[in-house]
Amino acid sequence: MAPQFRSYVWDPALILSQITLMQAIYYSSLGLWLAVVDSLVHNSPSLDQIFNYEVLGFSTSPGRLAMMAFILNALSCAIGLLYFIRRGKQCLDFTVTIHFFHLLGCWIYNAHFPTALTWWLVHTVCTALMAVIGEYLCMRTELKEIPLNSTPKSNV
């Protein structure tokens, strides 16, 4: 079998470490964005802002600010996809995995399945933004020209 350009071997340890890293990036950047938003309105931070699906909403100011933090977090995580995943084909997989684990976390935290329409709307938009922007950034780096130096190097 001839070697292929950019052929990859299935490496479960690498995939699990990338999932763990991206999940850590997701929650740490979300925590930072929520802290920034909370400092603007002098609100006290809590885990409810991350896991309670009833916090997100258009009718209250904290709900709108929390939605803004989730959307800004999607942009931050897209940059994480660029630096740590580096493959445009895998961006959607990792994005859906991150949001699936977040869904499980919300389900466990609230002790019942999220039913709020705004929660589903915000997370659908965040999933789409993170996947599309991450894939765009990764594809830009994948399509960069490979510099070829035609002059021979000599160590004289």
Side-chain angles (χ1 to χ4, degrees):
M1 182 158 59
Q4 298 176 357
F5 179 73
R6 270 202 139 158
S7 63
Y8 289 99
V9 181
W10 187 69
D11 187 5
L14 175 66
I15 294 170
L16 288 175
S17 63
Q18 285 176 322
I19 289 171
T20 305
L21 177 65
M22 286 305 300
Q23 205 71 37
I25 290 170
Y26 179 79
Y27 285 118
S28 61
S29 64
L30 180 60
L32 287 173
W33 283 117
L34 285 169
V36 167
V37 167
D38 286 341
S39 70
L40 294 176
V41 294
H42 305 294
N43 195 6
S44 61
S46 71
L47 278 179
D48 282 345
Q49 292 176 313
I50 296 174
F51 293 110
N52 190 351
Y53 61 86
E54 295 170 349
V55 170
L56 298 174
F58 293 105
S59 60
T60 64
S61 177
R64 287 189 299 269
L65 291 172
M67 288 191 305
M68 184 179 70
F70 272 97
I71 290 172
L72 290 171
N73 185 46
L75 303 176
S76 301
C77 288
I79 294 170
L81 289 171
L82 169 67
Y83 286 108
F84 300 111
I85 305 305
R86 296 183 176 222
R87 295 279 295 162
K89 291 167 61 173
Q90 295 176 340
C91 287
L92 180 63
D93 299 337
F94 280 95
T95 301
V96 170
T97 302
I98 287 169
H99 284 89
F100 176 73
F101 284 134
H102 182 67
L103 169 67
L104 291 179
C106 290
W107 195 350
I108 292 168
Y109 184 81
N110 294 303
H112 56 281
F113 193 74
T115 56
L117 182 63
T118 54
W119 188 91
W120 286 101
L121 177 68
V122 166
H123 283 86
T124 301
V125 168
C126 289
T127 301
L129 276 174
M130 186 174 158
V132 169
I133 294 171
E135 188 170 333
Y136 171 75
L137 293 173
C138 289
M139 292 298 285
R140 277 188 46 189
T141 59
E142 286 178 357
L143 294 175
K144 281 185 180 176
E145 291 184 18
I146 299 172
L148 299 175
N149 197 355
S150 61
T151 60
K153 292 184 179 181
S154 63
N155 294 333
V156 186

